[in-house]
Amino acid sequence: MNGRNTLTIIDNRTGKQYEIPIENHTIRAMDLRQIKVRDDDFGMMTYDPAFMNTASCKSGISFIDGDKGILRYRGYPIEQLAEKSTYLETAYLLIHGELPTKQQYDAWTNKIMTHTLIHENIKKFIDGFHYDAHPMGMVISAVAALSTFYTDAKNIMDPESRKLQIYRLVGKMPTLAAFAFRHSVGRPYVYPDNELSYAGNFLSMLFKMTELKYKVNSVLERALDLLFILHADHEQNCSTNAMRSVGSSHVDPYSATAAAAAALYGPLHGGANEAVLLMLDEIASKNNIPAFVKGVKEGRGRLMGFGHRVYKNYDPRAKVIKKLAEEVFEVTGRNPKLDIALELERIALEDEYFIKRKLYPNVDFYSGLIYQAMGFPVDMFPVLFAIARTSGWVAQWEEMLLDPEQKIARPRQVYLGSDSRDYVMMGKRSESKKNKP
Ligand code: ACO
């Protein structure tokens, strides 16, 4: 250490030396722009497909230490929030930065729960979908449609307007999700019951039949609330990046949320717990586990629900969910796939292949088992994720808007296409390998 907090770069092309300041263990990509061979050069850029090593923002919302298996929201360990908090309190924390006082919590809960109703016309959109439309496609479209009802939402620089849209988004997502579900099973829509909790009301809108008041099972209500807490935020993942990136064009938050939800829809992001269930079905019996694991090690498929880009240790959310599974199964009856999952985990965690690659269960390994036992069809899994993640998305959206360093997200590219060439008239063109139909 020479006391200087800089990175020295010597450009072998010119022999010039540059001192690049280091701040928060990072260098600013823009500081590389001064590295040029000639004065009229554009300057040096970094090439980082998929943002493998690029911080796109400064954030104070969630923190992950993947090697140690740590996840914190605003500094609070996820395990403590899972044990002591509620989803709405956690949402308040993510959005406001601090845990609420009793008075703040009551006011916040009241605001969210009085913004659960949706305009009657939204029902018409949902009615228009095919009977077997994927509920996630319906939710993405419906949340985008909300922007046409709340035209005030475009006033994104007005703090009061932002507040109102946040109440609406957090409040209405479960309603949109439940209506999409009811449409897909051909049942009448159930209107929100604001006397129930956030999770309890959602269960009512999903599963209420002809009874006057839905009787919420408190274990399932708490389980769903806890699953929402665990999925509320996860720093700069694909959908959060979509929220920030689309929001950086200053579009309204409903349109940005639709983009984030679309990113979440992809099987590489919100769809892995469904893949876990399919895998457990394929294994079918504990006796088949050794052969399955052998196949994975030989490159025939992956052990779904294992491994993570960031966690190289047990995903802290998976630990909480594993414990929760036992509580839920006491009410719903044991999902027979749990025994296969437990044995699969035991075998994998003792196996050199998984140990060497630091592959541990991730959040999706057990969550699908719980959702299935609670009566959710697999295509509702990403929708549940989207409800929970909405609080994280809006917190990250607002942080991005208020960050004076942020501008419209607009990456650079390395152009490797054709050099300048003259237009050729159609009759004079010949077929090349590239344009063969
Ligand atoms: N089963 C078997 N081998 C695996 C698995 C797995 N689940 N995950 C990684 N590996 C192996 C890879 O084959 C590779 O081995 P190699 O070095 O011999 O080639 C090594 O571990 C590193 O894997 P990468 O693909 O480089 O890891 P990456 O960080 O890109 O992938 C991912 C992370 C996509 C999550 C991966 O672990 C995976 O596919 N897991 C299964 C799917 C899954 O559960 N996804 C949910 C993630 S959580 C979420 O999105 C909410």
Side-chain angles (χ1 to χ4, degrees), residues 269 272 296 302-307 309 353 357 359 362 364:
H269 191 7
V296 168
R302 287 200 162 189
L303 179 45
M304 299 313 288
F306 257 65
R309 172 62 58 77
Y353 175 95
R357 290 169 180 76
L359 300 171
N362 60 48
D364 290 319

Side-chain angles (χ1 to χ4, degrees), residues 117-304:
L117 262 183
I118 51 176
H119 194 286
E120 285 292 290
N121 284 355
I122 293 276
K123 278 183 6 191
K124 293 186 195 156
F125 290 140
I126 297 186
D127 281 341
F129 285 105
H130 211 40
Y131 72 95
D132 59 353
H134 196 292
M136 194 64 170
M138 293 191 255
V139 168
I140 292 168
S141 314
V143 76
L146 289 183
S147 73
T148 66
F149 291 84
Y150 305 117
T151 48
D152 54 325
K154 63 179 184 297
N155 302 325
I156 52 155
M157 288 307 167
D158 172 1
E160 285 309 310
S161 170
R162 279 202 305 272
K163 234 190 240 176
L164 182 58
Q165 313 320 322
I166 288 174
Y167 299 146
R168 287 174 172 156
L169 269 163
V170 178
K172 291 178 202 308
M173 278 300 263
T175 316
L176 297 179
F179 279 30
F181 171 74
R182 300 286 290 204
H183 177 73
S184 61
V185 291
R187 290 191 192 141
Y189 305 122
V190 176
Y191 284 87
D193 179 345
N194 296 346
E195 285 174 7
L196 299 175
S197 70
Y198 190 76
N201 169 52
F202 182 49
L203 288 170
S204 163
M205 291 189 292
L206 290 166
F207 300 126
K208 186 168 177 284
M209 299 303 275
T210 53
E211 67 273 36
L212 281 179
K213 182 131 186 126
Y214 182 74
K215 205 170 167 309
V216 181
N217 180 297
S218 59
V219 175
L220 301 187
E221 179 185 22
R222 174 64 192 146
L224 192 60
D225 200 61
L226 201 154
L227 285 160
F228 284 169
I229 294 175
L230 298 179
H231 287 89
D233 199 49
H234 212 230
E235 52 134 277
Q236 302 311 309
N237 54 83
C238 180
S239 57
T240 302
N241 181 56
M243 182 83 190
R244 281 180 172 261
S245 184
V246 173
S248 77
S249 74
H250 288 186
V251 73
D252 67 87
Y254 303 101
S255 303
T257 301
L264 186 69
Y265 193 6
L268 295 187
H269 191 7
N273 46 13
E274 179 179 351
V276 172
L277 291 187
L278 295 176
M279 174 188 74
L280 295 174
D281 278 339
E282 187 194 323
I283 297 174
S285 142
K286 279 206 245 178
N287 300 337
N288 299 332
I289 295 175
F292 179 82
V293 170
K294 187 167 173 279
V296 168
K297 289 180 352 187
E298 287 168 1
R300 278 178 276 126
R302 287 200 162 189
L303 179 45
M304 299 313 288

Side-chain angles (χ1 to χ4, degrees), residues 346-360:
R346 189 190 66 73
I347 291 179
L349 290 181
E350 285 174 359
D351 192 296
E352 189 51 31
Y353 175 95
F354 297 91
I355 296 171
K356 207 173 111 200
R357 290 169 180 76
K358 298 189 177 167
L359 300 171
Y360 292 85

Side-chain angles (χ1 to χ4, degrees), residues 87 95 166 169-171 173 198 231-232 243 257 385-395:
Y87 175 69
I95 294 162
I166 288 174
L169 269 163
V170 178
M173 278 300 263
Y198 190 76
H231 287 89
M243 182 83 190
T257 301
F385 198 159
I387 295 173
R389 190 53 64 85
T390 298
S391 57
W393 288 333
V394 292

